[in-house]
Amino acid sequence: WRDRPSVMGRFIERWRQVHKRRQIDLRCSDVGTVRGFGGAGDKPRTRRKEPAPLQYLELPRDVALHYVTDASEAPAAITAIADAAIVGLDAEWEPDSSSDTPAATVQLATKDACVVLDLVALATNEGGLAAADAVVAAALANAVLVGFGLETDLARCRPLLTSLDAPETRELQGTASSLAALVRRTLGRDLDKRLQRSAWGAMPRPLPDDCVTYAALDAYACVMAYDALDGEPVAPATAARDLRVTEDVVERCLGRGRDRKRGEHPKDAALSFLSGEEAVGGYDKRGGAARIADGSVLFVNWQGRGENIRTTYFDRKYPNAIADGSVTWWPPKNFDEERLSEPLHLFGRRGKSSFLYLGRLLYVGPMAQAGTAPGGLVLKLLDAEELERRADDGD
């Protein structure tokens, strides 16, 4: 029986010998195999020891916290945060809001002080937003601004705070997959994110103390993590709105994609592939479109092979499709349809695979097919023939 061609064959032969009460010719090398069936010589299984949970990062008692809801509270905040060399910034907004919804709060932090500017409360007071802008301007007078996903936060804050138009920045997003992961790596602490999806824009003012502390802590964590990196290069990621597509994009990218790096968002990988930049940020990753300097990039998901339509968010409401050189696409909320006259580029994927560049698009018009969800658009895929040729050739 030792000459049977496979392990399974040997196992079947042994089972037959035991079942028919035959004698088994055991050799030393076989004893371990028999023990695997629960013999007396089995070693007791040991459970893997769970690592001790990390302590949560907290604001030290000697760090002053200023919660600003009125213009009269701004001078004290300016005194506390002015003249710093490094200032951390973070912002909170209403969950699931559109990408053009302004921030509800903006937080600034140094090693010694944190300021939470309640933009919702300040907007209801005369001169409130002007006072908030003065606090930000004073904080950034001689400082470098650091943050995680900084361009996204800045895009939410700029409609209300003009002093954030063009600050000198350092982006931490390329150093870890999330701010919590970065804090774990650099500070050995965990970030309590349970209040992240609070109703920042809708809840009554003033905010509860735990919400104010949570908001301040993210900005403070950016400062401390940046300091802990201790000279590790932290370059600002190129903002999507600054990207330009070169003339050879069809030859270089059509029908192809790029595997994303660890911790990288699939849309970041697609925009990096399209533009040749190492890192891209500063856009709403939840939306189906990203604004670039000379047009827009559309992202379309199709249902993956073998996926149950009830267990995936792809195509549940909006049957995006590509057929015969035409694309049907449902834009995100508050999408500016004037952008449809600009150059358009399409990335698509099935399931959760990498995005592939499918070519340039030309807007045809609104979708008029009966029985479909409202708001659908029809676009023509300009590079459809070349895409098909490359697919047939296996390029």
Side-chain angles (χ1 to χ4, degrees), residues 34-253:
V34 177
R35 281 179 176 173
F37 291 98
D42 283 354
K43 293 182 180 180
R45 292 184 179 181
T46 57
R47 296 182 64 181
R48 180 177 295 180
K49 189 175 180 180
E50 296 291 336
L54 296 175
Q55 293 181 351
Y56 284 127
L57 181 69
E58 297 180 349
L59 280 181
R61 292 184 178 180
D62 58 347
V63 173
L65 176 56
H66 297 264
Y67 175 45
V68 180
T69 60
D70 187 84
S72 61
E73 299 165 339
I78 291 175
T79 302
I81 207 167
D83 301 325
I86 301 296
V87 173
L89 181 140
D90 187 59
E92 307 295 341
W93 52 82
E94 189 70 15
D96 302 321
S97 58
S98 61
S99 59
D100 57 355
T101 301
T105 69
V106 59
Q107 301 83 249
L108 304 169
T110 67
K111 290 183 179 180
D112 303 315
C114 295
V115 173
V116 178
L117 300 172
D118 192 334
L119 301 180
V120 173
L122 288 166
T124 63
N125 299 323
E126 185 178 354
L129 292 179
D133 212 18
V135 174
V136 175
L140 300 184
N142 302 300
V144 173
L145 198 62
V146 300
F148 198 96
L150 194 54
E151 280 297 327
T152 302
D153 290 337
L154 291 176
R156 297 271 187 169
C157 296
R158 283 182 179 125
L160 302 177
L161 302 172
T162 58
S163 55
L164 288 174
D165 185 41
E168 183 181 354
T169 62
R170 295 293 181 271
E171 173 60 67
L172 298 174
Q173 198 164 27
T175 60
S177 59
S178 66
L179 179 57
L182 178 61
V183 169
R184 284 193 292 270
R185 178 166 77 88
T186 56
L187 306 179
R189 292 288 186 270
D190 212 343
L191 270 181
D192 188 350
K193 306 298 288 184
R194 286 175 292 184
L195 296 177
Q196 184 178 27
R197 292 184 59 80
S198 300
W200 294 100
M203 72 172 70
R205 265 41 186 186
L207 293 173
D209 290 345
D210 54 349
C211 288
V212 175
T213 303
Y214 167 86
L217 192 59
D218 276 4
Y220 180 75
C222 291
V223 175
M224 301 309 294
Y226 180 78
D227 184 63
L229 290 172
D230 192 25
E232 184 175 322
V234 182
T238 303
R241 67 175 185 273
D242 296 329
L243 297 181
R244 293 187 178 276
V245 179
T246 56
E247 293 182 359
D248 66 340
V249 60
V250 174
E251 179 61 32
R252 179 170 52 87
C253 301

